[in-house]
Amino acid sequence: MVKSKSIKSSEITPESLYLNRRDFMKSLTLVGTSVLLAACGIKPVTEGVNPPVPTLVAQGGDTLTSYENITSYNNYYEFTLDKTQVAKEASQFQSSPWQLEVYGLVNKPKTYTIDEILEKFPAEERIYRLRCVEAWSIVIPWQGFSLVKILNDVEPLASAKFVRFETIFTPDQMPEQKSGLYPWPYQEGLRLDEARHDLTILATGLYGKPLPPQDGAPIRLVVPWKYGFKSIKSIVKIELVSEQPATFWSTVVPSEYGFYANVNPNASHPRWSQATERRIGETAPRPTLMFNGYEEDVADLYVNMDLNVNY
Ligand SMILES: Nc1nc2c(c(=O)[nH]1)N[C@H]1C(S)=C(S)[C@@H](COP(=O)(O)O)O[C@H]1N2
Ligand SMILES: [Mo]
């Protein structure tokens, strides 16, 4: 099950969740992640409507965002810049067959199929907040595994200091990749210690189903303490490198988006405040939490860094 490391990472944690077992059992078919969620002790709250619509609630007031909202309000610029149209534009995306190449400064470069990944790195449940730099947020029950597992499998060399990720380049399927406005393919990067942190996962599913195309099928990165744009979708390449890699948004607008992109309510975006956020499905704004609420887990990574300089 979920490791204690991730359990203490937020209020949306298996141990702090509470379970009404009878209500929970009612929601199993709808939720589809029965075994994992049951073991995580999440309480579904049924609203008493007909048919009942279960909502998964955690202490601290965080509620799982509905499957419908998670899969119909997306950022995926390769398909369209209109968040409400991504699902439609991406619906025919071919995420199978798929290969993920892990290479660079490693002892054992490997190319995996998705089936090999699912078999070799069993998925576990991770309920994470995702905070977009645009000041909206969602709470997602991912299935995935810690990135460090696949890194260990290829054995990084001592010279490897950063990890570079790349989205598939397939302009015939991704219409915006035909536009020269952006530096395709989408790229992201992490420092190696950030990449090795247990909270950093490669996700292959959400709500117990394979990732839908709009959320980054068949495999995407999730780094919950950083702005959503770090969580790169539909990855085909993971490269271990010695220098800090270029990233999509820090290339497009370097003055607004940096390499680190740690969620920070005290550091305003040049054009808007980051102090609050709009949780999709809610009306009142919520305060944004330092490191998106994962401060206890990740603050150590940045002790000697000025977060206003390394934004
Ligand atoms: N390849 C790729 N990955 C991407 C993006 C994108 O446009 N292209 N958008 C990012 C942004 S800005 C956010 S907020 C999250 C959104 O993830 P979601 O649509 O699954 O909620 O994906 C990130 N990953
Ligand atoms: Mo975003």
Side-chain angles (χ1 to χ4, degrees):
M1 270 324 297
V2 179
K3 293 196 190 101
S4 60
K5 186 77 181 162
S6 73
I7 284 171
K8 72 175 167 67
S9 65
S10 87
E11 313 83 68
I12 318 166
T13 59
E15 283 176 352
S16 65
L17 295 171
Y18 46 97
L19 174 67
N20 174 326
R21 192 162 178 84
R22 204 169 59 92
D23 281 354
F24 182 78
M25 296 313 283
K26 278 194 228 152
S27 74
L28 294 186
T29 43
L30 207 154
V31 173
T33 51
S34 54
V35 178
L36 289 163
L37 288 178
C40 293
I42 293 163
K43 181 195 182 191
V45 175
T46 54
E47 297 292 322
V49 291
N50 192 15
V53 180
T55 312
L56 296 168
V57 174
Q59 281 175 7
D62 276 303
T63 301
L64 288 194
T65 303
S66 69
Y67 185 83
E68 172 64 21
N69 280 341
I70 292 170
T71 57
S72 62
Y73 188 83
N74 300 96
N75 269 334
Y76 203 159
Y77 273 34
E78 285 86 336
F79 290 105
T80 167
L81 279 50
D82 181 342
K83 297 185 211 321
T84 65
Q85 297 302 305
V86 175
K88 181 172 149 252
E89 294 296 330
S91 60
Q92 299 305 310
F93 179 64
Q94 296 298 311
S95 59
S96 171
W98 194 270
Q99 292 199 326
L100 171 61
E101 190 185 352
V102 189
Y103 65 109
L105 300 173
V106 300
N107 260 325
K108 296 181 174 164
K110 284 185 190 157
T111 299
Y112 305 85
T113 65
I114 287 300
D115 286 345
E116 285 166 346
I117 286 173
L118 293 173
E119 195 185 335
K120 193 157 187 174
F121 310 104
E124 52 182 280
E125 180 91 3
R126 294 291 180 99
I127 300 171
Y128 287 159
R129 288 178 287 267
L130 184 145
R131 174 37 163 100
C132 176
V133 75
E134 300 163 328
W136 54 268
S137 63
I138 48 184
V139 183
I140 307 178
W142 300 108
Q143 285 78 51
F145 59 94
S146 290
L147 175 66
V148 67
K149 292 184 179 170
I150 210 165
L151 296 179
N152 288 345
D153 199 43
V154 297
E155 299 177 10
L157 303 175
S159 52
K161 304 294 180 207
F162 293 88
V163 186
R164 190 186 73 85
F165 305 84
E166 206 177 290
T167 294
I168 191 171
F169 185 69
T170 172
D172 288 343
Q173 296 192 79
M174 295 178 152
E176 287 296 325
Q177 286 183 335
K178 293 193 170 123
S179 132
L181 287 177
Y182 290 106
W184 309 114
Y186 197 103
Q187 284 189 63
E188 259 304 337
L190 294 171
R191 227 168 50 197
L192 186 55
D193 58 341
E194 298 177 316
R196 281 185 164 136
H197 195 286
D198 181 63
L199 285 179
T200 303
I201 61 168
L202 288 175
T204 52
L206 63 84
Y207 267 108
K209 302 175 189 184
L211 281 185
Q214 62 268 36
D215 290 284
I219 188 162
R220 59 98 53 91
L221 183 70
V222 183
V223 192
W225 71 93
K226 293 176 177 285
Y227 290 120
F229 65 80
K230 298 295 290 184
S231 293
I232 179 175
K233 295 176 174 181
S234 306
I235 301 169
V236 289
K237 288 181 185 173
I238 299 179
E239 184 183 12
L240 282 286
V241 296
S242 59
E243 304 291 331
Q244 182 175 302
T247 67
F248 184 84
W249 280 111
S250 70
T251 303
V252 176
V253 199
S255 58
E256 298 190 355
Y257 307 105
F259 176 80
Y260 282 93
N262 292 311
V263 174
N264 185 348
N266 309 311
S268 290
H269 185 278
R271 292 182 280 129
W272 59 85
S273 164
Q274 296 291 24
T276 62
E277 65 200 57
R278 184 173 62 93
R279 180 69 50 83
I280 303 305
E282 297 180 358
T283 43
R286 286 172 171 266
T288 288
L289 306 175
M290 188 64 203
F291 294 113
N292 203 23
Y294 303 95
E295 183 168 17
E296 200 189 321
D297 290 273
V298 302
D300 283 359
L301 295 169
Y302 308 106
V303 276
N304 294 317
M305 259 178 56
D306 182 340
L307 296 174
N308 289 307
V309 175
N310 295 288
Y311 58 94

Short mmCIF file of all heavy atoms in Angstrom, two decimals, residues 202-262:
data_model
loop_
_atom_site.label_atom_id
_atom_site.label_comp_id
_atom_site.label_asym_id
_atom_site.label_seq_id
_atom_site.Cartn_x
_atom_site.Cartn_y
_atom_site.Cartn_z
N LEU A 202 5.33 8.24 -11.59
CA LEU A 202 4.84 8.07 -12.95
C LEU A 202 3.45 7.47 -12.80
O LEU A 202 3.29 6.42 -12.18
CB LEU A 202 5.75 7.15 -13.76
CG LEU A 202 7.09 7.74 -14.16
CD1 LEU A 202 7.95 6.67 -14.85
CD2 LEU A 202 6.92 8.95 -15.09
N ALA A 203 2.45 8.17 -13.32
CA ALA A 203 1.07 7.70 -13.19
C ALA A 203 0.64 7.01 -14.47
O ALA A 203 0.95 7.46 -15.58
CB ALA A 203 0.14 8.87 -12.88
N THR A 204 -0.08 5.90 -14.29
CA THR A 204 -0.62 5.15 -15.43
C THR A 204 -2.14 5.05 -15.37
O THR A 204 -2.76 4.52 -16.29
CB THR A 204 -0.03 3.72 -15.46
OG1 THR A 204 -0.22 3.13 -14.16
CG2 THR A 204 1.46 3.76 -15.76
N GLY A 205 -2.74 5.55 -14.29
CA GLY A 205 -4.19 5.49 -14.17
C GLY A 205 -4.71 6.51 -13.21
O GLY A 205 -3.95 7.16 -12.47
N LEU A 206 -6.02 6.72 -13.26
CA LEU A 206 -6.69 7.54 -12.25
C LEU A 206 -8.08 6.97 -12.02
O LEU A 206 -8.69 6.41 -12.95
CB LEU A 206 -6.71 9.02 -12.62
CG LEU A 206 -7.43 9.53 -13.85
CD1 LEU A 206 -8.91 9.76 -13.60
CD2 LEU A 206 -6.80 10.85 -14.30
N TYR A 207 -8.55 7.07 -10.80
CA TYR A 207 -9.83 6.47 -10.43
C TYR A 207 -9.91 5.00 -10.86
O TYR A 207 -10.95 4.50 -11.27
CB TYR A 207 -11.01 7.24 -11.03
CG TYR A 207 -11.58 8.32 -10.11
CD1 TYR A 207 -11.36 9.67 -10.37
CD2 TYR A 207 -12.35 7.98 -8.99
CE1 TYR A 207 -11.89 10.67 -9.55
CE2 TYR A 207 -12.89 8.96 -8.16
CZ TYR A 207 -12.66 10.30 -8.45
OH TYR A 207 -13.20 11.27 -7.62
N GLY A 208 -8.77 4.31 -10.78
CA GLY A 208 -8.78 2.89 -11.06
C GLY A 208 -8.90 2.51 -12.52
O GLY A 208 -9.05 1.33 -12.85
N LYS A 209 -8.85 3.50 -13.41
CA LYS A 209 -8.93 3.22 -14.85
C LYS A 209 -7.63 3.68 -15.50
O LYS A 209 -6.97 4.58 -14.97
CB LYS A 209 -10.08 4.00 -15.48
CG LYS A 209 -11.43 3.68 -14.87
CD LYS A 209 -12.48 4.60 -15.47
CE LYS A 209 -13.78 4.44 -14.69
NZ LYS A 209 -14.88 5.18 -15.21
N PRO A 210 -7.31 3.11 -16.66
CA PRO A 210 -6.12 3.61 -17.37
C PRO A 210 -6.28 5.11 -17.61
O PRO A 210 -7.39 5.60 -17.77
CB PRO A 210 -6.14 2.84 -18.69
CG PRO A 210 -7.00 1.64 -18.44
CD PRO A 210 -7.99 2.03 -17.39
N LEU A 211 -5.17 5.83 -17.66
CA LEU A 211 -5.23 7.27 -17.92
C LEU A 211 -5.97 7.52 -19.22
O LEU A 211 -5.64 6.93 -20.24
CB LEU A 211 -3.82 7.84 -18.09
CG LEU A 211 -2.96 8.14 -16.89
CD1 LEU A 211 -1.67 8.81 -17.37
CD2 LEU A 211 -3.69 9.02 -15.88
N PRO A 212 -6.94 8.43 -19.21
CA PRO A 212 -7.53 8.82 -20.49
C PRO A 212 -6.57 9.75 -21.24
O PRO A 212 -5.68 10.35 -20.63
CB PRO A 212 -8.82 9.55 -20.09
CG PRO A 212 -8.64 9.96 -18.67
CD PRO A 212 -7.58 9.07 -18.06
N PRO A 213 -6.71 9.83 -22.56
CA PRO A 213 -5.77 10.63 -23.35
C PRO A 213 -5.60 12.05 -22.82
O PRO A 213 -4.47 12.56 -22.77
CB PRO A 213 -6.39 10.64 -24.76
CG PRO A 213 -7.25 9.44 -24.81
CD PRO A 213 -7.73 9.17 -23.42
N GLN A 214 -6.67 12.69 -22.44
CA GLN A 214 -6.58 14.09 -22.02
C GLN A 214 -5.76 14.28 -20.75
O GLN A 214 -5.28 15.38 -20.48
CB GLN A 214 -7.99 14.70 -21.86
CG GLN A 214 -8.88 14.05 -20.82
CD GLN A 214 -9.75 12.94 -21.37
OE1 GLN A 214 -9.33 12.19 -22.25
NE2 GLN A 214 -10.95 12.81 -20.85
N ASP A 215 -5.59 13.22 -19.97
CA ASP A 215 -4.78 13.31 -18.75
C ASP A 215 -3.38 12.74 -18.93
O ASP A 215 -2.64 12.64 -17.94
CB ASP A 215 -5.51 12.62 -17.59
CG ASP A 215 -6.74 13.41 -17.16
OD1 ASP A 215 -6.57 14.44 -16.48
OD2 ASP A 215 -7.87 13.05 -17.56
N GLY A 216 -3.03 12.39 -20.17
CA GLY A 216 -1.64 12.02 -20.40
C GLY A 216 -1.37 10.56 -20.67
O GLY A 216 -0.27 10.07 -20.41
N ALA A 217 -2.36 9.85 -21.21
CA ALA A 217 -2.18 8.44 -21.53
C ALA A 217 -0.94 8.23 -22.40
O ALA A 217 -0.64 9.07 -23.24
CB ALA A 217 -3.42 7.89 -22.27
N PRO A 218 -0.27 7.09 -22.24
CA PRO A 218 -0.54 6.06 -21.23
C PRO A 218 0.27 6.25 -19.94
O PRO A 218 0.02 5.56 -18.97
CB PRO A 218 -0.07 4.78 -21.93
CG PRO A 218 1.11 5.25 -22.76
CD PRO A 218 0.78 6.66 -23.20
N ILE A 219 1.20 7.22 -19.93
CA ILE A 219 2.04 7.39 -18.73
C ILE A 219 2.47 8.85 -18.64
O ILE A 219 2.91 9.44 -19.64
CB ILE A 219 3.23 6.40 -18.75
CG1 ILE A 219 4.00 6.43 -17.43
CG2 ILE A 219 4.16 6.64 -19.94
CD1 ILE A 219 4.89 5.21 -17.21
N ARG A 220 2.34 9.43 -17.46
CA ARG A 220 2.72 10.83 -17.26
C ARG A 220 3.38 10.98 -15.89
O ARG A 220 3.23 10.14 -15.01
CB ARG A 220 1.52 11.75 -17.41
CG ARG A 220 0.32 11.53 -16.49
CD ARG A 220 0.24 12.43 -15.27
NE ARG A 220 0.29 13.84 -15.43
CZ ARG A 220 -0.76 14.64 -15.61
NH1 ARG A 220 -1.97 14.14 -15.67
NH2 ARG A 220 -0.59 15.94 -15.67
N LEU A 221 4.11 12.08 -15.78
CA LEU A 221 4.75 12.41 -14.52
C LEU A 221 3.76 13.13 -13.60
O LEU A 221 2.89 13.85 -14.08
CB LEU A 221 5.94 13.34 -14.81
CG LEU A 221 6.82 13.76 -13.64
CD1 LEU A 221 7.65 12.58 -13.12
CD2 LEU A 221 7.76 14.90 -14.07
N VAL A 222 3.89 12.93 -12.28
CA VAL A 222 3.14 13.73 -11.31
C VAL A 222 4.09 14.14 -10.19
O VAL A 222 4.66 13.29 -9.51
CB VAL A 222 1.92 12.98 -10.73
CG1 VAL A 222 1.15 13.90 -9.79
CG2 VAL A 222 1.00 12.46 -11.83
N VAL A 223 4.27 15.45 -10.05
CA VAL A 223 5.14 16.01 -9.00
C VAL A 223 4.26 16.94 -8.17
O VAL A 223 4.08 18.11 -8.53
CB VAL A 223 6.32 16.79 -9.60
CG1 VAL A 223 7.36 17.09 -8.52
CG2 VAL A 223 6.97 16.02 -10.75
N PRO A 224 3.67 16.45 -7.08
CA PRO A 224 2.53 17.15 -6.47
C PRO A 224 2.88 18.48 -5.80
O PRO A 224 1.98 19.28 -5.58
CB PRO A 224 1.99 16.14 -5.45
CG PRO A 224 3.15 15.25 -5.13
CD PRO A 224 3.94 15.16 -6.41
N TRP A 225 4.15 18.71 -5.47
CA TRP A 225 4.48 19.97 -4.79
C TRP A 225 4.86 21.08 -5.77
O TRP A 225 5.20 22.18 -5.37
CB TRP A 225 5.57 19.76 -3.75
CG TRP A 225 6.95 19.48 -4.27
CD1 TRP A 225 7.94 20.41 -4.50
CD2 TRP A 225 7.54 18.20 -4.61
NE1 TRP A 225 9.08 19.79 -4.96
CE2 TRP A 225 8.87 18.44 -5.03
CE3 TRP A 225 7.06 16.88 -4.57
CZ2 TRP A 225 9.72 17.41 -5.42
CZ3 TRP A 225 7.91 15.85 -4.98
CH2 TRP A 225 9.21 16.11 -5.39
N LYS A 226 4.83 20.78 -7.05
CA LYS A 226 5.17 21.77 -8.08
C LYS A 226 3.95 22.12 -8.91
O LYS A 226 3.00 21.35 -8.99
CB LYS A 226 6.27 21.20 -9.00
CG LYS A 226 7.60 21.01 -8.28
CD LYS A 226 8.62 20.36 -9.19
CE LYS A 226 9.97 20.22 -8.49
NZ LYS A 226 10.70 21.50 -8.38
N TYR A 227 3.99 23.29 -9.53
CA TYR A 227 2.90 23.68 -10.42
C TYR A 227 2.68 22.61 -11.48
O TYR A 227 3.63 21.92 -11.91
CB TYR A 227 3.17 25.05 -11.04
CG TYR A 227 3.08 26.17 -10.02
CD1 TYR A 227 4.17 26.99 -9.75
CD2 TYR A 227 1.90 26.38 -9.30
CE1 TYR A 227 4.10 28.00 -8.79
CE2 TYR A 227 1.81 27.39 -8.35
CZ TYR A 227 2.91 28.20 -8.09
OH TYR A 227 2.83 29.19 -7.15
N GLY A 228 1.40 22.50 -11.89
CA GLY A 228 0.97 21.40 -12.74
C GLY A 228 1.77 21.23 -14.02
O GLY A 228 1.89 20.12 -14.54
N PHE A 229 2.35 22.33 -14.54
CA PHE A 229 3.04 22.20 -15.82
C PHE A 229 4.29 21.32 -15.75
O PHE A 229 4.79 20.86 -16.78
CB PHE A 229 3.34 23.56 -16.47
CG PHE A 229 4.30 24.46 -15.73
CD1 PHE A 229 5.67 24.26 -15.82
CD2 PHE A 229 3.84 25.54 -14.96
CE1 PHE A 229 6.57 25.11 -15.17
CE2 PHE A 229 4.73 26.39 -14.31
CZ PHE A 229 6.10 26.17 -14.41
N LYS A 230 4.79 21.08 -14.51
CA LYS A 230 5.93 20.16 -14.39
C LYS A 230 5.50 18.71 -14.65
O LYS A 230 6.34 17.86 -14.99
CB LYS A 230 6.55 20.24 -12.99
CG LYS A 230 7.14 21.58 -12.59
CD LYS A 230 8.33 22.00 -13.42
CE LYS A 230 9.58 21.16 -13.17
NZ LYS A 230 10.74 21.70 -13.97
N SER A 231 4.21 18.44 -14.47
CA SER A 231 3.72 17.05 -14.55
C SER A 231 3.42 16.69 -16.00
O SER A 231 2.27 16.62 -16.44
CB SER A 231 2.49 16.89 -13.65
OG SER A 231 2.87 17.03 -12.28
N ILE A 232 4.46 16.45 -16.74
CA ILE A 232 4.43 16.25 -18.20
C ILE A 232 3.68 14.96 -18.58
O ILE A 232 3.84 13.93 -17.93
CB ILE A 232 5.87 16.28 -18.75
CG1 ILE A 232 5.92 16.07 -20.25
CG2 ILE A 232 6.75 15.25 -18.03
CD1 ILE A 232 7.35 16.20 -20.83
N LYS A 233 2.91 15.09 -19.65
CA LYS A 233 2.03 13.99 -20.09
C LYS A 233 2.63 13.16 -21.22
O LYS A 233 3.51 13.62 -21.95
CB LYS A 233 0.70 14.59 -20.56
CG LYS A 233 -0.07 15.29 -19.45
CD LYS A 233 -1.33 15.96 -19.98
CE LYS A 233 -2.16 16.51 -18.82
NZ LYS A 233 -3.40 17.14 -19.33
N SER A 234 2.08 11.97 -21.37
CA SER A 234 2.37 11.08 -22.53
C SER A 234 3.85 11.03 -22.84
O SER A 234 4.33 11.41 -23.92
CB SER A 234 1.57 11.55 -23.76
OG SER A 234 0.20 11.65 -23.45
N ILE A 235 4.60 10.52 -21.87
CA ILE A 235 6.07 10.54 -21.93
C ILE A 235 6.60 9.39 -22.79
O ILE A 235 6.18 8.24 -22.63
CB ILE A 235 6.66 10.43 -20.50
CG1 ILE A 235 6.17 11.59 -19.63
CG2 ILE A 235 8.18 10.40 -20.54
CD1 ILE A 235 6.51 11.40 -18.15
N VAL A 236 7.56 9.71 -23.68
CA VAL A 236 8.25 8.67 -24.46
C VAL A 236 9.74 8.59 -24.14
O VAL A 236 10.38 7.60 -24.47
CB VAL A 236 8.06 8.86 -25.99
CG1 VAL A 236 6.63 8.56 -26.41
CG2 VAL A 236 8.47 10.27 -26.42
N LYS A 237 10.27 9.64 -23.51
CA LYS A 237 11.69 9.64 -23.22
C LYS A 237 11.96 10.17 -21.82
O LYS A 237 11.41 11.22 -21.42
CB LYS A 237 12.47 10.52 -24.20
CG LYS A 237 12.55 9.93 -25.59
CD LYS A 237 13.34 10.83 -26.51
CE LYS A 237 13.31 10.26 -27.92
NZ LYS A 237 13.91 11.17 -28.90
N ILE A 238 12.84 9.48 -21.12
CA ILE A 238 13.37 9.95 -19.85
C ILE A 238 14.88 9.85 -19.96
O ILE A 238 15.43 8.75 -20.16
CB ILE A 238 12.86 9.11 -18.65
CG1 ILE A 238 11.33 9.19 -18.55
CG2 ILE A 238 13.53 9.55 -17.35
CD1 ILE A 238 10.73 8.36 -17.42
N GLU A 239 15.54 11.00 -19.88
CA GLU A 239 16.99 11.03 -20.10
C GLU A 239 17.69 11.54 -18.85
O GLU A 239 17.34 12.59 -18.31
CB GLU A 239 17.31 11.94 -21.29
CG GLU A 239 18.79 11.94 -21.65
CD GLU A 239 19.16 12.89 -22.79
OE1 GLU A 239 18.31 13.73 -23.17
OE2 GLU A 239 20.30 12.81 -23.26
N LEU A 240 18.70 10.83 -18.41
CA LEU A 240 19.54 11.28 -17.30
C LEU A 240 20.66 12.13 -17.88
O LEU A 240 21.37 11.70 -18.80
CB LEU A 240 20.13 10.07 -16.55
CG LEU A 240 19.23 9.30 -15.58
CD1 LEU A 240 19.00 10.08 -14.30
CD2 LEU A 240 17.92 8.86 -16.18
N VAL A 241 20.78 13.35 -17.36
CA VAL A 241 21.72 14.32 -17.93
C VAL A 241 22.53 14.98 -16.83
O VAL A 241 22.19 14.88 -15.64
CB VAL A 241 20.96 15.39 -18.78
CG1 VAL A 241 20.29 14.74 -19.99
CG2 VAL A 241 19.94 16.12 -17.93
N SER A 242 23.58 15.68 -17.23
CA SER A 242 24.45 16.31 -16.23
C SER A 242 24.09 17.78 -15.99
O SER A 242 24.42 18.33 -14.95
CB SER A 242 25.92 16.20 -16.66
OG SER A 242 26.08 16.83 -17.92
N GLU A 243 23.45 18.41 -16.98
CA GLU A 243 23.13 19.85 -16.85
C GLU A 243 21.62 20.04 -16.74
O GLU A 243 20.85 19.23 -17.26
CB GLU A 243 23.62 20.60 -18.10
CG GLU A 243 25.10 20.43 -18.41
CD GLU A 243 25.99 21.11 -17.38
OE1 GLU A 243 25.56 22.12 -16.79
OE2 GLU A 243 27.12 20.61 -17.16
N GLN A 244 21.22 21.13 -16.13
CA GLN A 244 19.79 21.45 -16.01
C GLN A 244 19.17 21.56 -17.41
O GLN A 244 19.63 22.37 -18.22
CB GLN A 244 19.61 22.77 -15.25
CG GLN A 244 18.17 23.16 -15.04
CD GLN A 244 18.05 24.42 -14.18
OE1 GLN A 244 18.54 24.47 -13.05
NE2 GLN A 244 17.43 25.44 -14.72
N PRO A 245 18.16 20.75 -17.71
CA PRO A 245 17.61 20.76 -19.06
C PRO A 245 16.66 21.94 -19.29
O PRO A 245 16.11 22.50 -18.35
CB PRO A 245 16.83 19.44 -19.14
CG PRO A 245 16.48 19.11 -17.73
CD PRO A 245 17.56 19.71 -16.86
N ALA A 246 16.51 22.30 -20.56
CA ALA A 246 15.49 23.29 -20.92
C ALA A 246 14.12 22.68 -20.67
O ALA A 246 13.93 21.47 -20.78
CB ALA A 246 15.63 23.64 -22.40
N THR A 247 13.17 23.52 -20.29
CA THR A 247 11.80 23.03 -20.10
C THR A 247 10.86 23.88 -20.95
O THR A 247 11.19 25.01 -21.33
CB THR A 247 11.38 23.10 -18.62
OG1 THR A 247 11.29 24.47 -18.23
CG2 THR A 247 12.37 22.38 -17.73
N PHE A 248 9.71 23.31 -21.25
CA PHE A 248 8.77 23.94 -22.19
C PHE A 248 8.42 25.36 -21.77
O PHE A 248 8.69 26.32 -22.50
CB PHE A 248 7.51 23.07 -22.29
CG PHE A 248 6.49 23.55 -23.29
CD1 PHE A 248 6.60 23.22 -24.63
CD2 PHE A 248 5.41 24.32 -22.89
CE1 PHE A 248 5.66 23.64 -25.56
CE2 PHE A 248 4.45 24.74 -23.81
CZ PHE A 248 4.57 24.41 -25.14
N TRP A 249 7.85 25.53 -20.57
CA TRP A 249 7.36 26.85 -20.20
C TRP A 249 8.48 27.82 -19.85
O TRP A 249 8.35 29.02 -20.07
CB TRP A 249 6.32 26.75 -19.06
CG TRP A 249 4.99 26.37 -19.64
CD1 TRP A 249 4.33 25.18 -19.48
CD2 TRP A 249 4.18 27.17 -20.51
NE1 TRP A 249 3.16 25.19 -20.21
CE2 TRP A 249 3.04 26.39 -20.85
CE3 TRP A 249 4.30 28.45 -21.06
CZ2 TRP A 249 2.03 26.87 -21.70
CZ3 TRP A 249 3.29 28.92 -21.90
CH2 TRP A 249 2.18 28.13 -22.22
N SER A 250 9.59 27.33 -19.34
CA SER A 250 10.68 28.27 -19.04
C SER A 250 11.38 28.69 -20.33
O SER A 250 12.09 29.70 -20.35
CB SER A 250 11.67 27.66 -18.05
OG SER A 250 12.41 26.61 -18.64
N THR A 251 11.16 27.96 -21.42
CA THR A 251 11.66 28.38 -22.72
C THR A 251 10.71 29.39 -23.35
O THR A 251 11.15 30.39 -23.92
CB THR A 251 11.81 27.16 -23.66
OG1 THR A 251 12.68 26.22 -23.04
CG2 THR A 251 12.34 27.56 -25.02
N VAL A 252 9.41 29.15 -23.21
CA VAL A 252 8.41 30.02 -23.85
C VAL A 252 8.37 31.40 -23.18
O VAL A 252 8.39 32.43 -23.85
CB VAL A 252 7.02 29.35 -23.81
CG1 VAL A 252 5.95 30.29 -24.37
CG2 VAL A 252 7.03 28.05 -24.59
N VAL A 253 8.29 31.41 -21.85
CA VAL A 253 8.22 32.69 -21.10
C VAL A 253 9.15 32.60 -19.89
O VAL A 253 8.70 32.40 -18.76
CB VAL A 253 6.79 33.01 -20.61
CG1 VAL A 253 6.67 34.50 -20.27
CG2 VAL A 253 5.72 32.60 -21.59
N PRO A 254 10.46 32.78 -20.10
CA PRO A 254 11.40 32.59 -18.99
C PRO A 254 11.18 33.55 -17.82
O PRO A 254 11.48 33.20 -16.68
CB PRO A 254 12.77 32.82 -19.64
CG PRO A 254 12.55 33.22 -21.04
CD PRO A 254 11.11 33.05 -21.39
N SER A 255 10.62 34.71 -18.09
CA SER A 255 10.42 35.66 -16.99
C SER A 255 9.26 35.24 -16.08
O SER A 255 9.16 35.72 -14.95
CB SER A 255 10.14 37.05 -17.56
OG SER A 255 9.00 37.00 -18.40
N GLU A 256 8.40 34.37 -16.56
CA GLU A 256 7.23 33.99 -15.77
C GLU A 256 7.31 32.58 -15.20
O GLU A 256 6.67 32.27 -14.19
CB GLU A 256 5.95 34.11 -16.62
CG GLU A 256 5.72 35.54 -17.09
CD GLU A 256 4.35 35.75 -17.73
OE1 GLU A 256 3.59 34.76 -17.91
OE2 GLU A 256 4.04 36.91 -18.05
N TYR A 257 8.04 31.70 -15.88
CA TYR A 257 8.07 30.29 -15.47
C TYR A 257 9.50 29.82 -15.38
O TYR A 257 10.24 29.88 -16.35
CB TYR A 257 7.29 29.42 -16.46
CG TYR A 257 5.90 29.95 -16.70
CD1 TYR A 257 5.57 30.60 -17.88
CD2 TYR A 257 4.92 29.84 -15.71
CE1 TYR A 257 4.31 31.11 -18.09
CE2 TYR A 257 3.65 30.35 -15.90
CZ TYR A 257 3.35 30.99 -17.09
OH TYR A 257 2.11 31.51 -17.28
N GLY A 258 9.86 29.34 -14.18
CA GLY A 258 11.22 28.89 -13.97
C GLY A 258 11.33 27.38 -14.05
O GLY A 258 10.37 26.67 -14.35
N PHE A 259 12.53 26.91 -13.77
CA PHE A 259 12.78 25.46 -13.79
C PHE A 259 12.13 24.79 -12.57
O PHE A 259 11.59 23.70 -12.67
CB PHE A 259 14.29 25.19 -13.78
CG PHE A 259 14.63 23.73 -13.70
CD1 PHE A 259 14.59 22.93 -14.84
CD2 PHE A 259 15.02 23.15 -12.49
CE1 PHE A 259 14.90 21.57 -14.76
CE2 PHE A 259 15.34 21.80 -12.41
CZ PHE A 259 15.28 21.02 -13.56
N TYR A 260 12.19 25.46 -11.40
CA TYR A 260 11.74 24.79 -10.18
C TYR A 260 10.23 24.73 -10.06
O TYR A 260 9.66 23.67 -9.79
CB TYR A 260 12.41 25.42 -8.96
CG TYR A 260 13.83 24.92 -8.84
CD1 TYR A 260 14.90 25.61 -9.40
CD2 TYR A 260 14.08 23.70 -8.24
CE1 TYR A 260 16.19 25.12 -9.34
CE2 TYR A 260 15.37 23.18 -8.18
CZ TYR A 260 16.42 23.89 -8.72
OH TYR A 260 17.68 23.38 -8.67
N ALA A 261 9.56 25.86 -10.22
CA ALA A 261 8.10 25.88 -10.22
C ALA A 261 7.47 25.22 -9.00
O ALA A 261 6.46 24.53 -9.09
CB ALA A 261 7.57 25.26 -11.51
N ASN A 262 8.10 25.44 -7.84
CA ASN A 262 7.49 24.94 -6.61
C ASN A 262 6.28 25.80 -6.26
O ASN A 262 6.34 27.02 -6.35
CB ASN A 262 8.51 24.99 -5.46
CG ASN A 262 9.63 24.00 -5.65
OD1 ASN A 262 9.39 22.83 -5.92
ND2 ASN A 262 10.87 24.47 -5.53
#
